[in-house]
Amino acid sequence: MTVKVRAPGRVNIIGEHTDYNDGFVLPFAIDRYVEVEVGPSKKFVLTSKLYNQTVEVEKNQRRGTWTDYVMGVVWALEQAGYRVEPFEMQIDSTLPTGSGLSSSAALEVASAVAIVKMMNHKIEPKDLVQVCVKAEREFVGVRCGVMDQFTAVFAKKDHAILLDTMTMDYEYVPLNLNNYEFVLIDSNVKHELASSEYNKRRTECEAILKALNKRSFREITEKDLAALGLTLRKRARHVLSENERVLKTVNALKEGRLLLAGCFLYESHASLRDLYEVSCDEVDFIVGFLKGRAGVLGARIVGGGFGGSVLALLRKGYTEFSFEELDMEYRKFFNRSIKVLRVNSSDGVLFSHLISSEFESAT
Ligand code: ADP
Ligand code: MG
């Protein structure tokens, strides 16, 4: 018996650099997936079509490559008390890796669900999320938040999820985009600084809590900020205002006020650029190009920063510019191209019927 499961990538509408600060995020799953097919075998044999590799791996063996994401899930499942027997796995994907669309979480979640099904275990969705987070944090060794794995599991088509990363409370927010769509514009740059600056921001946020003697960012108010030096004050101001913007965006979406939601995207970008200081010239150029043009409601940098993509809310079928035009201008300044990806919302594994019929008939 083989089991096939696919899990989606995600886009976070707003709530950047809030997930590791006990804040709010507003992701939705996208119609790009990692799909795995798993069947019992004598040994662990993993194949990635993307990397055109088939690898035999031992249990608990870290190789420092893509196999760690799958074997990390095996390890975390066993840590949580779910026995795992050897399997063969084929990985297929329509989700670009390393583009901030969270292919790593999609791979973990698809693997975990497929393995659990193959072994005939039962697992609660929240535990599934924790297993995948633990795999990435402790086996792969990436200091990730919970948003990505949570979204790959809990997302619902035509909805975003308002997630409180402090309590893990969540609420589905209908995404009625009507004639508008979210588009990702990849700047095709990732500056060297990205990971060191990311770690620096995390350290700065810890320093803010310490300086103000607070356990959580949620206990901090605007009044407290005066006690901080300039840099920390700017960082804290971003986190506080970004949390507010997430909640205001949720209200705007509920009221069908897309124009207002778009304004919050622009505000988020300005805050990430000027207060959190994680943008760069290439990304600012793209946002600047879009701003003020007919058919554009809003745009902001997404992901860790120092490159990566811009998320834009655009009118379907009509904007006062073409992507060719943007690409040409961008090339002129930066001597490289943009890449455009239109995304639609999708279900997470919990609500999708994306498990192979072979499996359904076997249960
Ligand atoms: P992101 O999650 O934003 O895509 P990460 O660096 O967190 O970026 O995760 C990307 C990693 O996930 C890849 O380097 C690879 O190790 C693993 N991965 C993603 N998709 C696949 C795939 N189809 N096959 C094998 N490994 C994959
Ligand atoms: Mg990732």
Side-chain angles (χ1 to χ4, degrees), residues 10 33-35 47-51 64-70 91-108 136 140 142 148:
R10 63 99 191 95
Y33 310 89
V34 172
E35 181 174 277
T47 300
S48 166
K49 283 199 191 160
L50 179 71
Y51 295 118
T65 69
W66 59 271
T67 59
D68 290 356
Y69 291 91
V70 179
I91 306 164
D92 206 352
S93 177
T94 54
L95 190 55
T97 64
S99 299
L101 298 175
S102 201
S103 66
S104 59
L107 175 55
E108 290 150 13
E136 184 150 346
V140 181
V142 175
D148 302 350

Side-chain angles (χ1 to χ4, degrees), residues 155-173:
K156 238 191 216 178
K157 192 170 163 42
D158 298 322
H159 292 76
I161 311 177
L162 168 61
L163 173 66
D164 179 340
T165 62
M166 183 171 79
T167 60
M168 294 304 286
D169 287 341
Y170 63 97
E171 180 192 335
Y172 292 106
V173 179

